[in-house]
Amino acid sequence: MYSYSEFDTAFLAERNAQFRQQVERRVSGALTEDEFKPLRLMNGLYLQLHAYMLRVAIPYGTLSSAKMRKLAEIAERWDKGYGHFTTRQNIQYNWPELKDVPDMLDALAEVGMHAIQTSGNTIRNVTADHFAGAAADEIADPRPVAELMRQWSTDHPEFQFMPRKFKIAITGSPNDRAVTKAHDIGIRMVARDGARGYEIIVGGGLGRTPMIGKVINDFLPEADLLPYLEAIVSVWNQIGRRDNKYKARIKITVHEHGIDEIRRLVDERFEETRKTFSGVDVQMLREIEEHFAAPAFITKSEAPFKDAYHNDPVFRSWADTNLTAHKADGYKIVSISLKKHGDTPGDATADQMRLMADLAEEFAHDELRISHEQNVILPHVHVSDLPAIHARLKEAGLATANIGLISDIIACPGMDYCALATARSIPIAQEIATAFDDLKREHEIGALKIKISGCINACGHHHVGHIGILGLDRAGVENYQITLGGDHTEQAKVGDRVGPGFSADDVVPAVERIVDTYLDLRTDETEEFIDTYRRTGLAPFKAALYPETKVAAE
């Protein structure tokens, strides 16, 4: 895990001191809200529906126990005792008082954390596969590359006032768990003839105009990464639209100019940027990699795990859903669900954060990860420790056995918090999860991704959900559109809109009809929802949702 240098520490101290003075001027009235807005956004501070919101960066989703404990302390001391983990591997505090924010930032700096570039028209928090460094299917750990990009992009003089925000994701696995194709730039580590390089994808994004990214370079040598990224961002910064913020993202630029023309412009610019990188970036990457050396894995008896698995059905259920294969023998990756049925997806209390920090320190080589699916990961756990971990998670209400199932829902804060939202997301997620828990059907249904957004900005990734739900305002009434067949993996696809929206009262019954249709159509219990949908298409699901459509067809 990367540790801040003296330069990093001094840089943060200076930035925080500057912002403290800006906050004092705002509180005194020397700055108006309009004057203060660009200053606070540069430090991750939003003005939400009811209060300010501070968004804290968790670069590539990696935390130590000390950092998680600090997040818990901040939640308890300056907020309402909880934090909200987001789809960009950040944490948000929804209720800070403006006067307290400088103290919150200073507290974060004590453990090498900050809120810089979590807002504004800059390069945002670089995200990565939440199983990075642990996954059995991994080509290489992408986090050193993500850290290199974080250092390159932070306060980059050319990229502080771009047409719009810019998001980058990286994965080191052929199985994409970082949603790379729905980012402005997606990076997939690949190997060719024994050499390591990158597949570079550009022009992905969701929001009001969802698009799947296109490959601009299928094998970029490792040494060329930063100059090539600089070429992409600088080309877009120059030709991207500034006349309309809804058309300012790079996905629109790629769409309007075509991928071939963008590739030509980037290659042309790359010839210039490459000359400005003397190889120091590659040297820096080698130095950064030393911070991410694998922990010292241990060997011991697996008997406690086997005994619990065979004799405790509750533990077995949790193990079957919440554990993932690890690259080291005798180890598993543990996913801690923040989706207890009826709770707010992604929320964790200060006590729960402290517990997860304790578990990481005691059993997981002092590492935690935040996933874009709003869960917490213990990446390196020996199987012998799993019964003890499960017991302590159970006491804290964190042992829900639902990772990847229908109640493991991604949901944005929606109209409960967000000033941009047009409908509620959290209550809909809670109602769906509770309904299927009451019916005890989750495990029968199997893998199924539901994603919910409270407005067209798609912070809940609804476009790439197997079942996507978008809340809109129709003449003052909440209306929920449903899409089916979306996919966030290496087979990324934007879902198909099924038809007219549903009222808040009708959303859960609509989802139940979709699920019943799937169960009737699947070839056997091993065929997952997304595979059934790809085989059958939209028609049978549409007929179930809108019976009049079926009658008309007959």
Side-chain angles (χ1 to χ4, degrees):
M1 189 179 303
Y2 181 74
S3 299
Y4 274 15
S5 66
E6 290 183 8
F7 172 85
D8 296 318
T9 303
F11 173 81
L12 264 190
E14 182 178 353
R15 279 290 296 261
N16 290 351
Q18 290 173 353
F19 190 57
R20 181 178 293 278
Q21 293 175 352
Q22 292 161 359
V23 168
E24 289 172 355
R25 291 166 65 199
R26 174 68 189 108
V27 171
S28 71
L31 287 177
T32 66
E33 177 55 37
D34 286 343
E35 292 170 329
F36 182 57
K37 181 177 179 179
L39 302 174
R40 63 172 168 78
L41 290 178
M42 291 177 70
N43 291 278
L45 186 63
Y46 288 75
L47 184 58
Q48 293 282 75
L49 193 60
H50 306 293
Y52 284 103
M53 178 270 282
L54 181 65
R55 178 181 293 155
V56 176
I58 304 175
Y60 36 90
T62 296
L63 287 170
S64 65
S65 59
K67 291 181 178 181
M68 182 66 98
R69 289 192 185 102
K70 183 61 69 174
L71 296 180
E73 175 191 330
I74 289 170
E76 204 164 58
R77 185 173 178 185
W78 292 296
D79 206 278
K80 293 190 176 182
Y82 71 96
H84 177 73
F85 292 103
T86 78
T87 56
R88 289 212 56 74
Q89 299 177 314
N90 297 311
I91 186 171
Q92 294 182 176
Y93 296 104
N94 291 311
W95 301 99
E97 293 188 36
L98 178 57
K99 64 180 178 62
D100 293 330
V101 173
D103 291 334
M104 297 170 75
L105 294 178
D106 283 345
L108 288 167
E110 292 172 5
V111 291
M113 297 185 73
H114 61 77
I116 298 169
Q117 292 184 200
T118 58
S119 181
N121 295 336
T122 62
I123 296 175
R124 299 288 185 89
N125 185 36
V126 177
T127 58
D129 180 356
H130 43 275
F131 294 162
D137 60 359
E138 190 173 72
I139 295 170
D141 186 345
R143 292 177 303 150
V145 182
E147 173 59 27
L148 180 70
M149 291 189 288
R150 184 196 70 82
Q151 294 189 28
W152 159 75
S153 63
T154 301
D155 254 18
H156 192 299
E158 187 180 347
F159 303 146
Q160 293 305 300
F161 300 96
M162 299 192 293
R164 283 287 273 130
K165 57 188 174 182
F166 201 90
K167 299 177 180 180
I168 301 174
I170 183 170
T171 179
S173 167
N175 300 301
D176 187 359
R177 290 178 288 265
V179 206
T180 58
K181 292 186 177 180
H183 280 74
D184 298 291
I185 293 179
I187 303 170
R188 300 181 66 196
M189 302 179 84
V190 293
R192 180 182 293 179
D193 300 326
R196 207 168 75 189
Y198 309 99
E199 178 185 82
I200 309 296
I201 302 158
V202 299
L206 303 178
R208 64 182 59 238
T209 312
M211 293 184 182
I212 299 301
K214 298 177 175 61
V215 175
I216 191 172
N217 193 316
D218 64 356
F219 189 84
L220 179 72
E222 186 181 68
D224 290 337
L225 181 62
L226 283 196
Y228 195 79
L229 294 182
E230 184 138 330
I232 292 174
V233 182
S234 61
V235 165
W236 169 69
N237 197 25
Q238 183 176 20
I239 69 172
R241 294 180 60 173
R242 284 177 161 84
D243 62 317
N244 185 334
K245 73 175 184 177
Y246 302 119
K247 297 183 179 181
R249 299 292 292 270
I250 195 173
K251 62 186 177 183
I252 302 298
T253 306
V254 172
H255 177 71
E256 291 181 342
H257 291 263
I259 188 63
D260 292 335
E261 174 63 7
I262 295 297
R263 184 181 294 111
R264 184 191 70 79
L265 292 171
V266 168
D267 287 345
E268 189 177 274
R269 177 71 174 134
F270 177 52
E271 291 303 312
E272 300 173 0
T273 58
R274 182 190 257 166
K275 297 171 186 175
T276 67
F277 286 79
S278 61
V280 67
D281 52 318
V282 178
Q283 179 184 337
M284 287 177 63
L285 178 59
R286 297 286 87 87
E287 293 172 358
I288 290 170
E289 285 174 338
E290 295 177 5
H291 292 267
F292 292 89
F297 297 123
I298 59 174
T299 301
K300 57 182 178 179
S301 172
E302 298 180 14
F305 170 74
K306 293 177 180 177
D307 289 344
Y309 189 83
H310 291 299
N311 297 314
D312 183 348
V314 175
F315 175 79
R316 185 189 314 123
S317 176
W318 176 80
D320 286 343
T321 55
N322 293 39
L323 302 183
T324 304
H326 195 284
K327 64 182 180 181
D329 292 339
Y331 276 75
K332 293 289 185 183
I333 301 169
V334 177
S335 293
I336 301 172
S337 174
L338 298 185
K339 314 288 180 58
K340 183 179 178 181
H341 303 99
D343 284 1
T344 300
D347 278 8
T349 67
D351 286 341
Q352 289 174 330
M353 288 187 229
R354 288 194 187 94
L355 171 66
M356 291 186 284
D358 291 344
L359 295 177
E361 190 171 53
E362 293 176 43
F363 302 113
H365 300 276
D366 202 29
E367 282 195 42
L368 303 108
R369 308 284 169 73
I370 308 304
S371 76
H372 83 270
E373 296 180 319
Q374 300 175 285
N375 293 313
V376 178
I377 317 297
L378 299 175
H380 311 293
V381 177
H382 193 274
V383 295
S384 62
D385 295 321
L386 289 169
I389 289 172
H390 177 257
R392 288 168 66 175
L393 289 173
K394 190 176 177 181
E395 289 179 5
L398 289 170
T400 306
N402 67 342
I403 296 295
L405 302 183
I406 198 168
S407 64
D408 184 13
I409 298 170
I410 287 179
C412 72
M415 210 160 58
D416 287 299
Y417 297 99
C418 182
L420 301 176
T422 50
R424 295 167 298 161
S425 298
I426 293 171
I428 300 301
Q430 292 170 325
E431 289 168 18
I432 292 172
T434 301
F436 283 93
D437 182 47
D438 289 344
L439 296 171
K440 303 302 178 189
R441 301 179 70 190
E442 280 193 285
H443 293 270
E444 174 196 1
I445 295 164
L448 202 165
K449 301 285 189 180
I450 294 182
K451 305 178 193 294
I452 306 174
S453 299
C455 79
I456 199 69
N457 291 306
C459 294
H461 293 193
H462 68 276
H463 292 297
V464 291
H466 297 164
I467 299 175
I469 301 174
L470 167 62
L472 297 170
D473 182 312
R474 297 295 191 212
V477 177
E478 291 172 302
N479 182 274
Y480 294 87
Q481 291 180 358
I482 292 178
T483 54
L484 297 177
D487 192 340
H488 70 279
T489 70
E490 62 280 359
Q491 303 179 63
K493 179 184 180 298
V494 172
D496 305 311
R497 182 179 167 187
V498 298
F502 296 86
S503 69
D505 292 337
D506 292 332
V507 173
V508 174
V511 173
E512 289 175 340
R513 292 200 296 278
I514 292 169
V515 171
D516 288 340
T517 303
Y518 153 62
L519 294 175
D520 289 341
L521 291 173
R522 68 181 181 180
T523 55
D524 56 49
E525 63 183 16
T526 65
E527 185 177 55
E528 297 180 359
F529 176 89
I530 188 62
D531 297 316
T532 298
Y533 184 82
R534 287 170 182 155
R535 177 172 56 80
T536 66
L538 175 63
F541 294 93
K542 188 169 185 175
L545 286 171
Y546 310 101
E548 63 276 12
T549 304
K550 182 177 180 181
V551 171
E554 291 174 348

